[in-house]
Every structure is written in structure tokens, then in C-alpha cells.
Amino acid sequence: MQTTIQVSKKLIFFLLFLVSGIAFVICGFCSLQKERRAIDINLINKGNCVKGKYVVGNISSCVVRKIPNLGNGSYSGVSQVWLVGAKEYAFFTIPVGESNYICIMVSDKDKVAELENLYKDGATSIYFEGEIIESPVDINYKWYEGISDKEFSGVENILTDYVIKEANFEDYIKKIYIGIMLLVCAYLQYISMGKMSDIVVKEKLVEKRADYAYSNSYNKENELTIEKRILLSLHKELYELKLGCLWRIPFFLFGLIMIKNNYYWEMKFVGIIISGLAIKGMVRYILNLGWKSTEWFLKLIGKESITNKINKCKQNIILLEDKIRLEK
């Protein structure tokens, strides 16, 4: 008996809904646990400043400096601006813990305006939620030059290895609801696919003799020519897959670097797409190499590897050459 999985569009959508739903639910619950263990932003120090921790709290001040070339007494707390994907992050430096400072990254324009007004008389504190990440850029030391010692104790007190990236905990919790919706879609898709017996088909293997296709052929020379052309075509196809696999390796590595070295899902997503497209071509070549494990998988989905086709084609050529020799 041979078991074959019928890979239909319904099955593909079912697996996509299922895997995505599980991933969103797990990610949402992990975020929920992190939120419950969030630390006060004003209590951050070298000991508890750890990548991945969530922080909450009220910011009552930030480091500011006079904007040069204006001459009207304007001040700003933005030490640098970093553009990543479609988002622009403004960097502010706030006092934390025991005479330390840390930079926060803010993309929300309203929040940026509120932080810019913190140094003004009568300004109130601002509630802030964020996640500690490794600093994606080097600190702009030049920006701190000229700030008085009364307002800023020095760059040596800045926790330069980490920054706090603005976050919205409500968005993290929404992942759970998105995951549940995707799982419901997966269940509905499963129902629409019908019975499992329609997806996994067991059929009897009928062994055929290798010479069956040519035993009654009246033009074996022509059949031999066709088989040789097919063999050349298969070798060419396998060679092209090999070349495609080789030139995709740098793209795959580039995608992994983007995923590893970026802390923003906009750039991680680009890296995932690049790596995914590269893996697709590499897997196609591997599946056609004729390994036992890959042959089993291809049989399971009702496919056949190019290497297996090449071997059959070679057997047919030998068989035809023998029959032509015997007839002569």
C-alpha cells in the first residue's frame, strides 16, 4: 500500500491558518507574562537592564540642549533620529535609577511632542511603555557637548548598551485575539476539506516491469532517441536547480543577518521574505537529489524526484539498446 497526501489549496490554507494561529497565541501569552513582570522605568539600573524586559512608568524629565543657530532660546531633547522601514524614531535621554541615564526611542508624534515639552514650566509627567533592546545605533556623544553639569552629569553615566523602544502593550495582547481568530478559521477550513480519507489516500502499488513500455514498440530507434533527449533535458533541469541553489545561499545568509541584527519587525519581515524565497529554491534542489528521506516525502505527496526520473530514463535506454541489438 502507498500513502499519498493530496496537497490542495484548502489543505495549504488550513496549515497556514493553524500554524499562524498557534504562533500568534503563544507570542501573545508570552507578551502578557512579560507585561505582568514589567519593571518601573525610574528604577532601571545596570543590574536589571536586561534585553527583552518590559518597562512602564512616568517620565518627568529628559536631557535637553539649546538648539544652535536659532538664538531664540529654543531647546530640544532629541539627540538623534533614526529611520527604519516606514518608522522614524526620535531618541531622548532620560534619568533612571541611581544617577544613570538611558535613551528611549519614540515613533509616536504626539508622544514626541509631549517629551519635547517636559522641560517647560508647568509640564506634567508622561506615562510610557517600552521594551529594553540592544542599542541599534551608536550614541551621539557630540550632542551632549555644552550641556551644563547641573542639567546632565555626563555621558559616562548613560547605559549605552541598551535603549528602551516605545511599545504599546495593548497591541501585544491583541495577538492572542488574532491567534484565536486564525485558529477558528483553521477549524472552519478543516470542516470544508471534508473527511481525512479525502486528504490521505492509500492506494495499492502495482509493480510494472521495466520493459513494459517498450516491449511492443515498433520503432525502438525512435524511442531510444526520445529517451536520450529526455535524459539530457533532466540533467539540464537538475543542473539549473543546482546553480539556483548556489546563488540563493548568499541571499539566505543575508536574510538571516537582517533577522538577527534588526530589532524591528519591519526589517525582520523583509529578512524573513528574502530567506524564505531563498530556502524555497534550495529545498527544490535538495528534494530532487534522490535521497531516501526526500524520496519518501515526495512519494507521500504523489511526486517524483528528477534523480529518480534520470535513473529510470537510463534503465529505459539500456533496455532499448539491448532490444535493438537482439533484433539485429
Side-chain angles (χ1 to χ4, degrees):
M1 296 291 287
Q2 178 180 349
T3 302
T4 304
I5 297 178
Q6 303 292 342
V7 182
S8 63
K9 289 183 179 179
K10 288 185 177 181
L11 178 60
I12 293 173
F13 278 112
F14 165 72
L15 293 175
L16 285 174
F17 285 139
L18 182 64
V19 174
S20 301
I22 293 173
F24 269 97
V25 169
I26 293 175
C27 186
F29 274 110
C30 289
S31 298
L32 183 61
Q33 292 300 316
K34 282 186 177 182
E35 181 193 0
R36 291 174 177 173
R37 296 193 297 267
I39 59 177
D40 191 321
I41 194 170
N42 296 295
L43 300 179
I44 293 175
N45 53 49
K46 292 182 180 179
N48 60 17
C49 189
V50 179
K51 175 184 174 182
K53 276 193 175 182
Y54 288 0
V55 298
V56 295
N58 293 311
I59 299 174
S60 56
S61 65
C62 66
V63 179
V64 297
R65 61 166 293 178
K66 188 174 182 179
I67 302 175
N69 304 323
L70 287 182
N72 58 358
S74 296
Y75 288 81
S76 175
V78 180
S79 61
Q80 58 183 319
V81 175
W82 193 49
L83 183 66
V84 53
K87 284 190 176 182
E88 183 181 84
Y89 287 94
F91 282 69
F92 292 86
T93 308
I94 62 170
V96 293
E98 302 171 356
S99 302
N100 290 129
Y101 295 86
I102 193 169
C103 291
I104 61 173
M105 298 173 53
V106 187
S107 62
D108 184 83
K109 298 299 181 183
D110 294 334
K111 189 77 70 176
V112 170
E114 290 177 3
L115 287 165
E116 285 280 52
N117 292 325
L118 269 179
Y119 67 92
K120 295 182 179 179
D121 292 335
T124 59
S125 61
I126 298 171
Y127 179 74
F128 187 82
E129 297 176 342
E131 180 181 1
I132 299 175
I133 64 171
E134 292 181 3
S135 181
V137 293
D138 293 331
I139 188 170
N140 183 14
Y141 290 103
K142 188 175 181 180
W143 185 85
Y144 300 93
E145 295 176 358
I147 302 176
S148 66
D149 295 338
K150 293 181 179 180
E151 298 172 340
F152 179 59
S153 60
V155 292
E156 64 275 5
N157 294 317
I158 300 177
L159 303 176
T160 56
D161 293 335
Y162 299 97
V163 296
I164 302 175
K165 178 176 170 286
E166 177 191 23
N168 188 335
F169 293 162
E170 289 185 1
D171 291 341
Y172 293 150
I173 305 305
K174 288 177 183 177
K175 292 178 182 179
I176 298 176
Y177 299 109
I178 294 173
I180 293 173
M181 290 175 62
L182 288 170
L183 291 175
V184 171
C185 291
Y187 176 72
L188 296 175
Q189 186 70 13
Y190 176 77
I191 294 174
S192 68
M193 287 191 301
K195 300 178 180 179
M196 185 61 68
S197 58
D198 296 331
I199 303 170
V200 181
V201 180
K202 291 185 178 181
E203 50 188 22
K204 292 183 178 180
L205 279 174
V206 180
E207 292 188 5
K208 297 181 180 180
R209 292 181 59 190
D211 62 342
Y212 179 78
Y214 304 102
S215 59
N216 298 319
S217 175
Y218 294 100
N219 193 344
K220 293 183 176 59
E221 288 83 359
N222 186 46
E223 297 289 352
L224 180 60
T225 302
I226 292 173
E227 286 292 337
K228 288 182 177 180
R229 288 177 181 174
I230 293 173
L231 181 62
L232 288 174
S233 176
L234 291 171
H235 276 298
K236 182 180 178 182
E237 186 178 356
L238 187 61
Y239 179 72
E240 289 175 350
L241 285 177
K242 181 180 179 180
L243 289 180
C245 177
L246 292 176
W247 70 257
R248 281 180 172 89
I249 291 175
F251 287 94
F252 172 69
L253 296 175
F254 177 72
L256 289 182
I257 292 172
M258 290 188 67
I259 295 170
K260 181 180 179 181
N261 294 342
N262 285 283
Y263 305 100
Y264 312 98
W265 281 107
E266 297 91 341
M267 300 304 296
K268 282 182 179 288
F269 185 69
V270 174
I272 290 170
I273 292 176
I274 294 174
S275 296
L277 292 175
I279 289 174
K280 181 181 178 182
M282 294 164 65
V283 169
R284 280 190 62 195
Y285 173 65
I286 293 172
L287 288 175
N288 283 283
L289 289 178
W291 298 343
K292 288 184 179 180
S293 56
T294 57
E295 286 294 336
W296 173 85
F297 174 75
L298 289 173
K299 285 182 180 179
L300 192 64
I301 61 175
K303 302 291 183 179
E304 186 178 13
S305 69
I306 295 176
T307 301
N308 199 32
K309 291 179 181 178
I310 289 174
N311 293 333
K312 288 184 178 179
C313 195
K314 288 180 178 179
Q315 292 176 0
N316 291 336
I317 290 172
I318 294 173
L319 176 64
L320 284 167
E321 287 177 341
D322 290 341
K323 286 192 172 293
I324 291 171
R325 187 166 53 252
L326 289 173
E327 288 178 357
K328 291 180 178 179

